[in-house]
Amino acid sequence: MGRLAQTEGLTEIQQDILSTVRSFVDKEIIPVATELEHRDEYPADIVEGMKEMGLFGLMIPEEYGGLGESLLTYALVVEEIARGWMSVSGIVNTHFIVAYMINAHGTQEQKDYFLPRMATGEVRGAFSMSEPGLGSDVAAISTKAVKDESGEFYVLNGQKMWLTNGGTSTVIACLVKTDEGASSPYKNLTTFLIEKTPGFGPNESVPGLTVPGKIDKMGYKGVDTTELVLQDVKMPSNRILGGVPGRGFYQMMDGVEVGRVNVAARGCGVAQRAFELGIRYAQQRQTFGKKIAEHQAIQFKLAEMATKVEAAHQMMVMAARKKDSGQRNDLEAGMAKYLASEYCKEVVEDSFRIHGGYGFSKEYEIERLYREAPMLLIGEGTAEIQKMIVGRRLLEEYKLAE
C-alpha cells in the first residue's frame, strides 16, 4: 500500500477494521467486480461477506447489536469498499442513512424494533426523497399522506424515484407531504418507515406499494436503483419517524449530511483505484523505447492525480470528524462532497488517458470507473447545490456587523 490517503490518529480497533476490509476488498471484490458489473448482477456473495463481518451494524450502537463505531470509521470503510467497486458501497450507504436516522430521530419503540435487525443485515434500508419531477427542490414533493377517518392511519399516494436498494431493501425511509398547516413547506413534510418484503413488482406485504424493475443505468450497476409507486398505501401513525409529523425535512437533511460524507468517501475510493491503475499501467507500457512513466508529461499527470487523491481524502476525514464531534458539519460535508466528486472525475479521466486506447476496452478496469464516476457528481446533491450550501454557510460565518 502506498503512502497516499493515510489517516492520522486512528485507534487500533479502527486500524484492524480497515485492514480487514481492505483484505476483503482485494480478495473478494476487485477480482469479480468488473464481471458482475458488466452483467449488472447483484453481488449477493459479497453482501453475505459484509454481513458476516458486521459491516451493516458498523455505526449502530452496541446496545442494539452493532459495533458502535464513528462516522469516520464508516467513511473510511466506504472509501475502501468503493476502491473495489462503488456499487457495493451504495448498498451500505442508504442502509446506514436509514439506520442513522432511526437512531437519531426514532422513537424508542422504532429503535428497538428496527436497529437490532439492521445491525445484522437481516433488515436493510433504502432512502427515498427524490421524485420524477423533483430534482433538488425538496419543497416541491408531491407524494402525499392523508389521515383516514379513524385518524390512526395515513393513506399514501405518489411516485418516488432513484431509490438505491429499492428492490432488495426491507425498510424504506420515505419523505412525503402531510398537511400540518405550517406556513413553511418544509414543516409540512413527514418521514414514514415503510417495512416491505424484498423484490420487484407489487409488494406481497404492503398492498398498493409497487417497486418496478431496476432502472437501466450507464454505470453504478449491480446495485438496484428503482422507482417506488404508492397507491392508497395504508400506514399506521406509529410508523412516522419519531412519532410526530412535520419533522421529515429536518430528519432527512440530517441523514443527507451523513450521506454527503459517504459520497465524498466513495469519490475518494474510486479516485484511489484510478490512480493505482494509472501508475501501474504507466510502469508497464512502453513508447519510444521507454516506460511511459519516464515521460515528463505522464509524471506531471501522476503528480496532479496524487495531489487530488490526497486533498479529497483529507477533506472527507475532516467532515466526518466534525460530525462525530457533535458539531454542525453541513459546510464541511458540502465542501468534501463537492471536492471529492469533482476530483474523482478528473483523476479517473487522467487515468483513462494514461491507458490510451486500452482504456476504451471493457477488458480494462478503468473503463468501468469511467462510467461510475459521473454518478458521484449528482448523488446527494449536485455540485451546484453543494456550492449553494457552502456559500450560504460562509455568509453566515463571515456576516458583517450591522
Side-chain angles (χ1 to χ4, degrees), residues 1 5 28 56 106 119 127 169 218 221 223-224 235 237 243 331 336 342:
M1 185 173 67
E28 306 295 336
F56 285 97
F127 177 84
S169 61
M218 175 178 74
K221 293 178 179 287
V223 61
D224 48 299
M235 282 286 117
S237 56
L331 174 67
E342 294 291 334

Side-chain angles (χ1 to χ4, degrees), residues 311-322:
H313 173 83
Q314 298 303 337
M315 180 70 80
M316 177 270 291
V317 168
M318 180 182 70
R321 282 184 162 147
K322 191 87 169 182

Side-chain angles (χ1 to χ4, degrees), residues 113-274:
Y113 181 73
F114 285 109
L115 292 181
R117 294 181 298 144
M118 295 186 82
T120 64
E122 174 194 348
V123 168
R124 297 211 293 276
F127 177 84
S128 178
M129 185 164 59
S130 187
E131 295 183 1
L134 189 62
S136 300
D137 184 8
V138 180
I141 279 178
S142 60
T143 299
K144 290 183 179 180
V146 179
K147 277 186 179 180
D148 69 358
E149 294 179 357
S150 72
E152 297 180 3
F153 290 86
Y154 284 79
V155 179
L156 282 60
N157 282 282
Q159 183 180 5
K160 309 298 284 186
M161 192 70 175
W162 305 118
L163 278 77
T164 301
N165 296 329
T168 51
S169 61
T170 50
V171 61
I172 300 172
C174 184
L175 187 65
V176 302
K177 182 176 288 186
T178 50
D179 185 10
E180 306 307 319
S183 57
S184 168
Y186 299 104
K187 294 181 180 179
N188 289 299
L189 298 174
T190 299
T191 305
F192 279 87
L193 299 174
I194 304 175
E195 194 172 15
K196 69 177 187 66
T197 51
F200 300 97
N203 198 261
E204 296 176 1
S205 60
V206 185
L209 186 146
T210 301
V211 179
K214 294 193 298 184
I215 296 170
D216 193 13
K217 301 164 297 200
M218 175 178 74
Y220 196 42
K221 293 178 179 287
V223 61
D224 48 299
T225 305
T226 74
E227 299 173 66
L228 178 70
V229 179
L230 303 147
Q231 187 171 6
D232 293 332
V233 172
K234 202 171 183 180
M235 282 286 117
S237 56
N238 66 2
R239 285 304 170 85
I240 292 174
L241 179 61
V244 179
R247 298 179 180 175
F249 175 77
Y250 305 99
Q251 294 164 346
M252 284 276 177
M253 289 304 103
D254 190 25
V256 164
E257 283 186 14
V258 172
R260 283 178 179 144
V261 173
N262 172 281
V263 172
R266 284 199 258 179
C268 291
V270 173
Q272 284 180 44
R273 185 59 180 165

Side-chain angles (χ1 to χ4, degrees), residues 2-71:
R3 63 183 292 178
L4 287 183
Q6 300 299 300
T7 309
E8 297 294 328
L10 297 180
T11 66
E12 286 189 20
I13 292 175
Q14 288 174 314
Q15 291 173 13
D16 288 344
I17 290 172
L18 292 174
S19 176
T20 301
V21 172
R22 175 173 278 265
S23 177
F24 179 78
V25 168
D26 288 340
K27 294 177 181 178
E28 306 295 336
I29 297 182
I30 289 177
V32 300
T34 296
E35 181 182 352
L36 291 176
E37 197 270 351
H38 287 167
R39 295 205 302 258
D40 197 8
E41 182 176 325
Y42 187 77
D45 291 342
I46 293 172
V47 169
E48 287 303 310
M50 292 195 298
K51 286 168 67 175
E52 291 176 11
M53 288 192 291
L55 293 188
F56 285 97
L58 191 63
M59 273 183 68
I60 294 174
E62 292 180 5
E63 63 188 286
Y64 300 110
L67 298 179
E69 274 295 330
S70 63
L71 176 59

